[in-house]
Amino acid sequence: MISSGLQVIYNTDEVSFIQNLVFCVERAYRVPDFGVWERGSKYNNGSPELHSSSVGLAKAALEAINGFNLFGKQGCSWSVIFVDFDAHNRNRQTLCSLLPRESRSHNTDAALLPCLSYPAFALDDEVLFSQTLDKIIRKLKGKYGFKRFLRDGYRTALEDKTRRYYKPAEIKLFDGIECEFPLFFIFMIIDGVFRGNPAQVKEYQDLLDPLLQHTCEGCPVVPKYYYVPADFVELEKKNPGSQKRFPSNSGCDGKFFLWGQAVYIIAKLLADKLISPKDIDPIGRYVAPEDQRNVSMRFSNQGPLENDLVVHVALIAESQRLQVFLNTYGIQTQTPQQVEPIQIWAQKELVKAYFHLGVNDKLGLSGRPDRPIGCLGTSKIYRILGKTVVCYSIIFDLSDFYMSQDVMMLIDDIKNALQFIKQYWKMHGRPLFVVLIREDNIRGSRFNPILDMLAAFRKGIVGGVKVHVDRVQTLISGAVVEQLDFLRITETEEAPVFKRLEELDLPKHSKVKRQSSTPNASELEQQPDVNINDWKSKSTYEILQKFNDCNCLASQALLSSILLKREGPNFITKDGTVAEHIERIYRRAGSKKLWSVVRFAASLLGKLVDSLAPSITNVLVQGKQVTLGAFGQEEEVISNPLSPGVIKKIIYEKCHLQDEREAVVQQELVIHIGWIISNSPELFSGMLKIRIGWIIHAMKYELKIRAGDMPAKDLYQMSPSEVKQLLLDILQPQQQGRGWLNRRQIDGSLNRAPAGFYDRVWQILERTPNGLIVAGKFLPQQPTLSDMTMYEMNFSLLVEDMLQNIDQPEYRQIIVELLMVISVILERNPELEFQDKVDLDKVVQEAFHDFQKDHGLPKGSEKQDDMTAFYNTHPTGKKGTCSYLSKAVITLLLEGEMKPSNDDPCTVS
């Protein structure tokens, strides 16, 4: 409206309100809501969900309003709206990961039409757009319009209008009689006009015209919906599409369905060429595919045709001494003083500057929340209070968590950040990535890996990303400049103070200390020389005496843990409190790379890694669930984003039971998985539930496989970068040369399922009236089939819930194989169905007994613990596990009755 020339916003208070509204919209990617239809989940039971249409509309809104002047062409710099580039990108990633689904319970929804087409045009991926649109048409299109979604009871004859929510399984009543809305035919007409598709326009005009009602004056009226009258409901259910539907009374009583009427008028004007698409899209949301690469939009979702982005890199040494030292190896850097008058800031200083955005005391608006700036935001140049500022990424911040002490993690983070920027940078202008090199980075064994990385920068390729290294003053001309004009300081106001990166004041030609760090410590150094059980019963005095006498950091950490639990963190000794003792052990163990001791001390101190909550959110928005908790113990399932405090409480309650170190290793894995799933989501295909404790079990098992007959390496003694590499290794498809026991162990620990697995379980449930049971967990046929549909995410999660009680990964995989076998048998034998509840454990036991007979195994070895030979057997072939499972399934099926069939060849008369 403002773009078309109307004045809507009149004062700065309103500008502040809109800006704070943007802060809320930026979080749409992680906030479940009730969707366009205000019903939440498909079951209409009051539960919200994350909806693609909501996220898409938020993403489109952020793109449209970023850099927009609310006062129009006459506006000043202080009426411009700012959007966080990284927040916009997270909405975009979430939308692409959710589609073509609408939500967990909605497999598809007509609400996606106005989101992906006019007016929002929220998606730039043509393939994903076509895939989503095809699904909407295939599932929802009818003769009288589109259904909103499957099993939608809104305004049907069977809906009880006196109740706000439905009862369990009630939505099954509405199957096949959902109201159809002509409104969505109109959206398809408008879409056809925008995309230059006259055949689509004519198709939907021909469908719409017979549906229009007319007033007494002959004016066309768009009915809100067409419904099946109560008398015809049963006939319609028996023969879908056979009954005539009747229009709602829109227009008959003088009340019109204004949304439909307004969109109809727009469509009619477009189709008759009385207006053009540009007339109803003044902010240019729609860009034709052939023109996308030439359109300049500040927050354009249109990137280069081929993503051949070159990232500009500035290498900054924190001291002149370090600069001279690196220069001897041919690495050219700048110091903070040498880039002046340009200032270098940490991202947290930029966050402080953004605190002033949208502040309005009159309205009680506090401004931008305390959210970190991501690596896209730190790749821009900023003009703040007359200063030119470049920022370094959060990965270069000094952290209290031990992962920052592993230089290989820093190198890995730099490569990941560059790949992320390459993939998601869609702005005109080059990103400027500041690499901050600290003296601590090059000490001891850390130097060679850092030197190799810096050499790669000089060659122009780092981790497969093209880079160009130069001076900041040179690179600034090609960068994106953001003017933070909202920081206006009057004469009476005190200017905010920002801390820039200061150069370390060290003698220029003094020698850089490189040997203060040691190589990785031996396994022996990480083992305590005291037994914790022997010391638990001893007095506090004796423990303190032993603590002072021993030099082994591992032993000191163990003794400190006894004191911590007995006396508390504030218990005072001659050298300080117990907590201070543990903190010193933590620091010293970190410098010596005693990773097991470091993790133990970090856990005792209750350390929490930065970015834990965003990493979990990264996993959730990919349509996955996360569980925290030790393997074999109770787990906490996380389905929606949580605050860092809540996550910390879960971790330290669920992961401390067997080994204190588990609590911090699970944090490491969450950080790693958050990065990996954002950049390589294909590695998690088939994994609906990311069970962190089980993944750690898989990693330990992998170490056992690699060790062979030798003692396995201790996971807790490995450096964070080695842990990450091991995680990447087990996520890769299993090597062909390995035994089937090993493969089943790893895949079972990862909770990986084959393609189409959940759909097949649905088909089994249709033929199993009394449901399925495994490991004591029951999956009933009803109300499951009544409440859900085959392809919805919630059913897949229900199947995962059924399998969650299984405590052996290899046995879980056998159960998965069994369900696939049952599905194939039922598919090929439509006359068969199970009569009783199917106990999957019993079927596996029957198959195993047959296996024992064929292989001559001794009696009395029927226990699950002795199924190793069965687990290690190839699934296919004459003597494969599937043949034994198939035999057991067929035996069970033949115990029941067969359904009669009209075309049964065995029937004589």
Side-chain angles (χ1 to χ4, degrees), residues 9 19-20 40 100 132 156 204 313 327 387 391 416 429 496 525 676 699 774 831 834 869:
I9 304 298
Q19 181 63 68
N20 280 267
T132 307
T156 60
Y204 285 96
V313 175
N327 196 36
K387 303 182 184 75
C391 295
N416 284 337
E525 285 182 85
I676 296 167
M699 294 166 76
V774 61
E831 74 283 0
F834 293 103

Side-chain angles (χ1 to χ4, degrees), residues 241-376:
S242 62
Q243 303 303 303
K244 182 182 178 183
R245 290 172 180 254
F246 291 82
S248 61
N249 64 346
S250 296
C252 298
D253 53 2
K255 295 180 181 176
F256 294 94
F257 176 41
L258 295 180
W259 184 15
Q261 204 65 25
V263 176
Y264 172 72
I265 293 169
I266 291 172
K268 194 71 177 160
L269 290 169
L270 283 171
D272 293 343
K273 295 186 169 52
L274 296 173
I275 60 171
S276 71
K278 287 183 181 178
D279 293 326
I280 60 166
D281 184 25
I283 55 174
R285 287 300 306 148
Y286 177 72
V287 182
E290 61 272 16
D291 299 328
Q292 284 179 359
R293 310 304 157 188
N294 304 317
V295 173
S296 176
M297 296 169 67
R298 289 200 64 209
F299 250 22
S300 172
N301 51 9
Q302 328 299 344
L305 190 60
E306 296 294 332
N307 194 349
D308 199 24
L309 181 72
V310 177
V311 179
H312 286 174
V313 175
L315 301 179
I316 304 296
E318 71 171 349
S319 70
Q320 219 172 348
R321 181 175 76 173
L322 179 58
Q323 182 188 37
V324 170
F325 174 75
L326 291 172
N327 196 36
T328 62
Y329 291 90
I331 307 298
Q332 303 293 325
T333 61
Q334 288 178 283
T335 64
Q337 281 185 0
Q338 290 168 350
V339 302
E340 289 180 353
I342 299 167
Q343 295 186 3
I344 301 171
W345 287 9
Q347 64 84 30
K348 60 187 177 184
E349 295 300 309
L350 191 56
V351 171
K352 275 168 58 179
Y354 271 111
F355 280 160
H356 298 268
L357 178 61
V359 174
N360 189 296
D361 295 332
K362 191 193 300 183
L363 298 179
L365 301 173
S366 57
R368 187 180 187 273
D370 186 4
R371 299 172 187 162
I373 306 290
C375 55
L376 296 175

Side-chain angles (χ1 to χ4, degrees), residues 199-213:
Q200 178 178 313
V201 173
K202 185 173 188 317
E203 176 191 351
Y204 285 96
Q205 279 180 325
D206 292 345
L207 288 169
L208 178 67
D209 286 344
L211 306 177
L212 297 174
Q213 303 298 300

